[in-house]
Amino acid sequence: MTSLLEPKDYGIYALLVAFQGFCGLFLINPVGQHINRHTHAWWDDGTLLKRLAGYNTYILVVSAGIAMVVVIWWLSYPSADKSIMASMLAALAVSTMVYFGTWNGTFVYILNMIGFRVGSVAWMTASSIVGLAFSTIFAHQSHTAMSWVLGQALGMAVGAIGAGVMLRQYQAGRALVANGSHELPTLLNRQTILTYCLPLAAATGFMWLQNTGYRFWVGGVWGVAELGILAIGLSISSQLWSIIESFAMQFLNPYFFRHIMEAKTDLQTGAVLSDMVNVMWPLYAIFAGFNMLFASSLLAVLTDDRYHAAVVFVMLGALIEFARCTTNLWSYVAQIQRRTTKVILPYGLGALIVWLGAMVGTYFDADLKTLAIVLVISGVATCAAMVVLMQRMLPIALDIRRWLAGSAMLIIFFAVTGTMPIQNNGPYHNVVLLLLGVFFSGSCMAVLLWRNPALTRLLSTALRSNHRR
């Protein structure tokens, strides 16, 4: 991607993705979390796909609305091509990505949640391969951000359609409900919208302002080329972290939510949450250290020479992602207890720090490194506030031995980072360094997972009900 797009085009891409992120976090994620919370129960009673019938209309409305917003923004943005064709292509790219990306994530994730692992992995892989192929072909022809997003949307469409068909095949023959009623079950009711979805939307809206919304300010003040350099550095860290988060979501989350559904008391729920945190946080700590230590090698291997100045943003991005993932672990408390208003304050605090920092930095002519440091500070503040609030709601018991081991590895990696030179010795040298780093970090993670009682407890349940109605 970085060989096909100039930094200014990557900056435009970062802004288009920001629109998609707004829809995903603010408008779609609250409903998606509600679906995740009830997937097992609705699958067991045979009503899952019926409940998703109205979801399609909602996603279509969101996609059409964001298309109009993108057209208006594109025609008014200083660095954008003002032609009607370019604005329409940008709107088409974002809206189709929102629509098919939502269904892709929904169907693929549901397949995985209910235990159809092979199908989930197959369609996830197909989405990635097809999307990468079409994005490369389109971007090679036009070298624009819209072409890359359109290619990704096609990949998402393939995965969404395939996973949806597979899910319907698995669902075929199951009764609607135990009493044989053919009445259409509802996805949401008024109470769920008011007490769960709207508070969660407010929180995720602040999350978007904190983690993505600032891109519009950067593009307007520093320029889209500078935004492209900042975005590629932070994106490398975020994409790497998506690997370990995908591991948690695709492998552990189905077991986690099945346990949560079966929990009868706060004590049982707290035990499951503690297991999840004690499995994942030490891994996050080691991964953060790896990300910082090998930032320059990662940048040299993964990007074109035009982007190699972004090494400091890769390092700072590791800290941002570490704080974000830790925050997400504790935010499960509010989602599970359906007290999502409690997560508004931490994300609101983070968004306030980012935007105050951006405005103050602009006033004093600060550079983008200063803004990146502000992003780190906001992430740490959000994390600290989330942990304090959630611990008051439902205390999580920590596995001190494994937490100390993960923290020690993070400190060691961080200390060595200061002595690590910028790698300019060719791609093969950097690849060897990365392989050594992966082997060492992976070995440390394996030791933490070996005979881990928390992991054993998480895996001690079946993902699907054995009886048929």
Side-chain angles (χ1 to χ4, degrees), residues 227-449:
L227 172 62
I229 298 297
L230 172 67
I232 196 67
L234 299 182
S235 294
I236 284 179
S237 290
S238 67
Q239 292 299 318
L240 289 173
W241 278 82
S242 72
I243 297 172
I244 199 168
E245 277 198 301
S246 291
F247 166 79
M249 291 180 63
Q250 300 300 324
F251 183 66
L252 289 181
N253 272 22
Y255 296 101
F256 172 73
F257 280 110
R258 171 60 78 171
H259 277 295
I260 291 298
M261 188 194 77
E262 295 172 349
K264 304 301 182 183
T265 65
D266 283 348
L267 185 63
Q268 292 175 335
T269 301
V272 176
L273 281 165
S274 297
D275 286 341
M276 188 69 167
V277 170
N278 288 325
V279 169
M280 294 309 304
W281 192 90
L283 305 185
Y284 287 162
I286 294 174
F287 197 74
F290 166 82
N291 195 171
M292 285 189 295
L293 182 60
F294 296 96
S296 59
S297 293
L298 287 166
L299 198 64
V301 170
L302 296 176
T303 67
D304 188 79
D305 293 345
R306 295 171 292 186
Y307 294 86
H308 287 182
V311 61
V312 66
F313 300 133
V314 180
M315 294 180 179
L316 294 174
L319 298 176
I320 294 169
E321 293 299 313
F322 182 40
R324 182 185 63 79
C325 290
T326 304
T327 302
N328 288 346
L329 284 176
W330 260 270
S331 70
Y332 277 131
V333 174
Q335 294 183 33
I336 290 167
Q337 294 202 332
R338 307 185 70 83
R339 299 170 63 186
T340 51
T341 54
K342 297 296 184 180
V343 301
I344 295 176
L345 177 60
Y347 289 122
L349 175 63
L352 179 64
I353 292 173
V354 168
W355 283 87
L356 282 178
M359 289 186 285
V360 171
T362 302
Y363 181 80
F364 288 103
D365 294 324
D367 58 15
L368 284 181
K369 292 179 183 178
T370 303
L371 177 61
I373 293 173
V374 170
L375 293 174
V376 174
I377 294 171
S378 73
V380 172
T382 299
C383 182
M386 185 69 76
V387 170
V388 170
L389 289 175
M390 296 302 105
Q391 284 291 107
R392 291 177 179 174
M393 288 174 56
L394 187 66
I396 292 176
L398 304 182
D399 183 339
I400 300 300
R401 185 164 62 92
R402 284 180 169 81
W403 270 65
L404 287 175
S407 300
M409 292 306 304
L410 175 61
I411 293 171
I412 292 172
F413 274 124
F414 186 78
V416 178
T417 298
T419 65
M420 196 76 167
I422 302 298
Q423 301 300 326
N424 292 311
N425 299 319
Y428 297 108
H429 178 83
N430 288 310
V431 167
V432 170
L433 277 177
L434 287 176
L435 289 176
L436 291 174
V438 168
F439 176 77
F440 179 73
S441 302
S443 299
C444 294
M445 292 181 181
V447 169
L448 290 177
L449 293 174

